[in-house]
Structures are given as structure tokens and as C-alpha cells.
Amino acid sequence: MNDTGLDDLLPEADEQDIIRAAFARREAASADIDAEWRELSRLTRTRPRRPALFIAAAVAACIAVVVLLSLPQDRVDRQVAVITHMDIPGDISLTDDSGRAYDVDTAEVTFAGKPLSGTHTTMMVMATPRGRDCRVTLSDGTRVWLNGESELRFPFGFTSGRREVHLRGEAFFEVAKDPQRPFVVTSDYYSATVLGTSFDARAYSSDDASVTLVEGSVRVSPAGSASALVVEPGCMVTFGAASMMSMSEVDVYPCLQRKEGYFYFDQASMLDIMIELGRWYNKTVVFEDTAAMSTMLHFVASRSDSLETVLRHIAELDNVEIEYTEDDITIR
């Protein structure tokens, strides 16, 4: 190879500058990339809620890396509120169909053996606000665990024929056996008929209506429909449009834990968990990170725990940022 060929292989002036700079960087201390990202994470957690640009730079060997993270400008527009705070009284109430109110100074009321004043034809209404539940023993001995934001309408005493109550919200029933008088739970969305069994009935809305059977047998029918479905133990029936019903096998343990005073979620979506917490603690729940809505979690907590404690445990499980105020919970 002659001198001209060798000259062609040598780097030009601008290329020589790049090579010299690379060797100079090799002698300098490399940036701690992990430390840079930890600092970046700290800044994003404490940054106010607004679109922002975050820049992190690290240099390793001969390569300079610049990472630019930009939050979308329409982030606020994509917030999803899944349940809303309500201005409601915080006491359990018991009234009759004449409008008379009774003092309720305990979370358990019985109509079996210790009847309140009234007649067997009087209709009673037990109602719970968000964050409070109660237990009711009906005149036939049936035990009912009424969840928060729920209402049970029932007769002061059951007479001949079927025993019928009306539910809005959610309740767990342990029905006293009486083959001659079927027990019927009606709601705006379905009716459930039993002879003696344990089941959870849920009727908060048309999108949140179900019957979960723990033991025994239940026959359910959509409201205004003659069609019926017999539920098997360990199964849940949900209701859709046009009187459609679907039955699936479920774990009934969460139902049993709820009546014992616990939140129990096993492979439940963050959406379902936060709706339940929002209802119990009476908060508006907003998802800014809509992807987090479908995250599946196993989560257990006492219903007597503070909201701060419950949210802290959820954030630790999924490594998400959750903030709350007097009326709101926000998942970012």
C-alpha cells in the first residue's frame, strides 16, 4: 500500500476531534445512572400536577445518553372518576312506613324476641351511610349483614306466605329455614328466592348487581322477567341488558370476610378495589393513570383501618402514586 492509500485510511480533522473527546471522557468518572433515576423519580413524585418535561442525562464509556420524558398535554382530559363523594348523614337510621324514626345506638338490631313497637303489618326501613354497616336479625331469625350505603325494607313481623324483603345496596343473608315460607329478596334489578341458605346479594346499580351463593340453593330472576336460573354453591350470577343472566364459579371467601369486617380482594382489579374503598370512605376516586385500573391485586385490610393506612398498603403493593384529600382519592 502506497502513502496515498494510507492517507485515505486516516481520520479527517473533525473525526479526530471526536476520537480525542471520546478518550477524554474515558478518563472522566462515569455518571451513576441508578442515582440519576432515583433522583428523577423523587422529582416526579413531588412535582405539582401539570404537564412537565423531565430530563435525565448520564454518560458511560464513550456514549452520552439523554432521556426526555414528557407528560401528554391532554392528561387532565383523560381523568376517569369511578365513584363520587356524597354529602350524606353519617348515622344508621331505622324508620317505619309512617315516617317514625327509631333510635339506633348499636350496630346490631333484632326483631326476634325483642320487637320494637309496631304491628306485624308495619314495614321497616334500615339504612346505612357510607362507612357504616350493621347487622339485623329479622323476626323469623334470619340474620342480615347490611353493607355501607345500603337499605333494607322488611316487615316488622313475617306472617303466612312468603317472607319478602327489598334490598338496595349490598347485604349478606343467613336465611332461617322454613320450607313452608320461601324467603325472597327483591331489588330493582332481580329477585332471589330461597328456603334456607347463605348468600351475598348486591344491588347498587344495573352495572353492579349480583347474587353470590355460599351454601344452599337460590333461584334468581331478572326484574320484570319470568326467566329463572338456579344458582349453585360457589357461583355468582350477574345481570345484563334484556333480562340476560350469566353464572360463573367464584371464590366465596371474600363475601364471608366482608361480613366479618374485612376488605378482601383476591386477583381483583384496581378499579373494583378503588370503587369499594371510595364507597366505604365516601370519596371521589379519580384515575389519572388509567392503565392502573386493570392492575390485578391481592389485598386484605380491616374495614376499621384509616384511609391513609389502606392507601399506603395499596401503593406499596403496586408501586403507584396515590394522593387523597378530604373528598378525593387520585391515582397517578
Side-chain angles (χ1 to χ4, degrees):
M1 182 177 294
N2 56 31
D3 292 342
T4 302
L6 290 173
D7 291 339
D8 292 339
L9 294 178
L10 293 174
E12 297 182 358
D14 56 345
E15 294 173 330
Q16 294 177 28
D17 291 339
I18 295 174
I19 293 172
R20 280 193 295 271
F23 276 100
R25 286 194 298 271
R26 189 180 66 177
E27 299 303 322
S30 298
D32 186 344
I33 298 176
D34 291 338
E36 294 289 337
W37 277 110
R38 285 195 297 270
E39 176 64 9
L40 175 64
S41 298
R42 185 187 67 80
L43 291 173
T44 59
R45 284 196 299 270
T46 57
R47 188 72 59 90
R49 187 197 312 176
R50 61 177 183 271
L53 295 179
F54 306 107
I55 301 177
V59 179
C62 298
I63 303 175
V65 180
V66 178
V67 179
L68 179 65
L69 301 178
S70 176
L71 297 180
Q73 295 294 323
D74 62 345
R75 179 173 184 174
V76 174
D77 296 336
R78 295 189 295 108
Q79 293 180 355
V80 178
V82 296
I83 194 167
T84 305
H85 166 82
M86 297 174 60
D87 292 324
I88 52 177
D91 295 326
I92 299 170
S93 67
L94 177 63
T95 57
D96 62 24
D97 51 8
S98 69
R100 178 181 177 183
Y102 298 84
D103 291 333
V104 180
D105 56 3
T106 177
E108 185 166 5
V109 177
T110 181
F111 288 81
K114 298 179 181 179
L116 300 173
S117 60
T119 68
H120 281 59
T121 59
T122 299
M123 294 299 296
M124 311 298 297
V125 178
M126 178 73 76
T128 58
R130 290 183 175 182
R132 296 287 303 276
D133 53 15
C134 70
R135 295 180 295 279
V136 184
T137 302
L138 304 181
S139 62
D140 65 337
T142 293
R143 303 177 69 191
V144 184
W145 285 260
L146 196 61
N147 200 359
E149 196 186 351
S150 300
E151 179 183 285
L152 185 69
R153 182 178 176 84
F154 56 95
F156 179 87
F158 294 111
T159 57
S160 60
R162 69 181 192 173
R163 301 166 288 169
E164 183 173 325
V165 302
H166 186 83
L167 174 68
R168 182 191 62 81
E170 183 179 19
F172 187 91
F173 293 84
E174 286 185 355
V175 178
K177 291 181 172 60
D178 188 345
Q180 304 305 315
R181 296 188 300 169
F183 191 94
V184 181
V185 177
T186 64
S187 73
D188 292 341
Y189 316 107
Y190 61 82
S191 65
T193 304
V194 303
L195 295 178
T197 189
S198 299
F199 66 101
D200 184 84
R202 193 172 175 97
Y204 281 111
S205 68
S206 58
D207 296 325
D208 192 5
S210 63
V211 173
T212 304
L213 182 61
V214 176
E215 62 180 19
S217 179
V218 175
R219 184 176 69 251
V220 298
S221 300
S225 173
S227 62
L229 185 64
V230 176
V231 188
E232 300 177 354
C235 292
M236 177 176 68
V237 173
T238 54
F239 302 85
S243 300
M244 295 296 293
M245 296 180 289
S246 61
M247 183 165 64
S248 58
E249 292 186 359
V250 295
D251 182 6
V252 300
Y253 190 69
C255 296
L256 299 174
Q257 287 299 290
R258 189 200 65 74
K259 77 181 184 70
E260 296 298 328
Y262 292 93
F263 297 111
Y264 187 96
F265 301 97
D266 186 38
Q267 289 303 301
S269 69
M270 179 78 82
L271 172 62
D272 290 340
I273 293 173
M274 295 311 299
I275 288 176
E276 194 74 12
L277 296 180
R279 175 174 290 121
W280 183 252
Y281 292 102
N282 192 21
K283 303 290 184 182
T284 295
V285 177
V286 177
F287 279 87
E288 287 188 357
D289 180 6
T290 54
M293 297 169 68
S294 58
T295 300
M296 308 302 287
L297 295 176
H298 177 91
F299 176 70
V300 182
S302 171
R303 293 160 74 90
S304 63
D305 284 346
S306 68
L307 176 61
E308 179 183 8
T309 298
V310 172
L311 294 182
R312 184 176 70 250
H313 291 331
I314 292 178
E316 291 170 351
L317 282 175
D318 193 43
N319 195 29
V320 296
E321 181 184 357
I322 303 177
E323 294 182 358
Y324 72 96
T325 63
E326 183 178 354
D327 296 331
D328 305 304
I329 301 172
T330 302
I331 297 91
R332 295 191 170 94

